[in-house]
Amino acid sequence: MQEETRRKGITDFADLTPMQEGLYLWQGDITTLRCGAIVNAANSQMLGCFSPNHGCIDNAIHSYAGVLLRLACAELMEKQGHEEETGRAKITPAFNLPCDCVLHTVGPIVSGWLTRKDKELLASCYRSCLEMADQNNIKSVAFCCISTGEFHFPNDKAAQVAVSTVKEYKEQTNSEIEVIFNVFKDIDLQIYRDILR
């Protein structure tokens, strides 16, 4: 797995240029990013995607981290004794990924109109991950676009929640954590560029 990731090419967070102080935007494969932690948009079972060869980020992260990630998640969930609540976060080692850790969070599933509760739960995902990172002395976190794929959160609204929640957290806590907004699609790149300019 590590050799496969090397072949894809590893990007070091330290080589990125901030868009704003402590805030970065990077388009690419999150499984190739070397940083403190990457965020996995997980499902409530927290055991990786159950659809073989599915194109979601959960599947990609578990595939390139290797089977030990699924075992670590299974151990966490067995201890917890129930499915993961939306808006919370768990931490595991990254195993074969170039980052140090993986933060797993379950985003809201949007069905029909976007509600205030959906926005609050998404904000909670970002806050929970940042809190977990600070508690574990992680200096940099790369967020994927939580809930925007299979969970149908509108991309532009999700980006607004992401940026405002991260900024608010950093201001309220005086956290010096560096945050990378990782995007894969061109549409998300443009949305984040517009917000962060």
Side-chain angles (χ1 to χ4, degrees):
M1 287 295 155
Q2 291 178 20
E3 182 55 36
E4 180 65 26
T5 300
R6 271 195 292 274
R7 273 203 295 270
K8 288 196 295 181
I10 293 171
T11 298
D12 198 312
F13 148 72
D15 295 332
L16 303 180
T17 304
M19 294 279 290
Q20 295 182 16
E21 188 177 349
L23 301 179
Y24 300 75
L25 176 60
W26 179 67
Q27 184 178 31
D29 178 351
I30 201 167
T31 66
T32 65
L33 186 62
R34 181 180 287 123
C35 62
I38 63 170
V39 173
N40 178 28
N43 57 46
S44 59
Q45 287 87 14
M46 296 279 283
L47 298 175
C49 178
F50 296 109
S51 301
N53 302 314
H54 193 247
C56 67
I57 195 162
D58 195 15
N59 199 28
I61 287 172
H62 274 268
S63 295
Y64 285 101
V67 70
L68 289 176
L69 179 59
R70 185 165 286 205
L71 293 173
C73 288
E75 188 178 327
L76 283 174
M77 297 311 289
E78 193 174 322
K79 283 180 186 171
Q80 179 166 287
H82 58 83
E83 291 188 348
E84 185 71 356
E85 295 172 38
T86 302
R88 308 294 289 277
K90 292 272 189 292
I91 187 169
T92 64
F95 299 103
N96 290 310
L97 297 170
C99 56
D100 298 323
C101 302
V102 179
L103 295 164
H104 307 263
T105 191
V106 181
I109 299 173
V110 176
S111 51
W113 297 106
L114 184 68
T115 67
R116 182 176 176 178
K117 180 73 172 170
D118 294 328
K119 293 179 183 178
E120 288 170 354
L121 286 169
L122 185 61
S124 181
C125 289
Y126 284 90
R127 268 195 310 276
S128 296
C129 287
L130 292 168
E131 287 165 1
M132 183 71 73
D134 273 335
Q135 287 163 16
N136 288 274
N137 204 31
I138 294 167
K139 303 298 185 190
S140 56
V141 173
F143 283 100
C144 62
C145 300
I146 301 166
S147 280
T148 58
E150 297 296 312
F151 288 7
H152 309 296
F153 207 108
N155 298 52
D156 56 341
K157 300 289 191 296
Q160 289 164 8
V161 170
V163 173
S164 63
T165 304
V166 167
K167 284 184 169 182
E168 187 178 86
Y169 175 85
K170 284 168 67 73
E171 285 168 12
Q172 289 176 348
T173 63
N174 294 315
S175 174
E176 294 182 2
I177 197 162
E178 307 268 11
V179 173
I180 306 110
F181 295 106
N182 163 246
V183 298
F184 196 70
K185 298 175 182 173
D186 290 340
I187 185 172
D188 289 314
L189 181 66
Q190 193 55 56
I191 288 167
Y192 274 91
R193 270 185 180 154
D194 291 344
I195 293 171
L196 290 168
R197 274 196 182 122

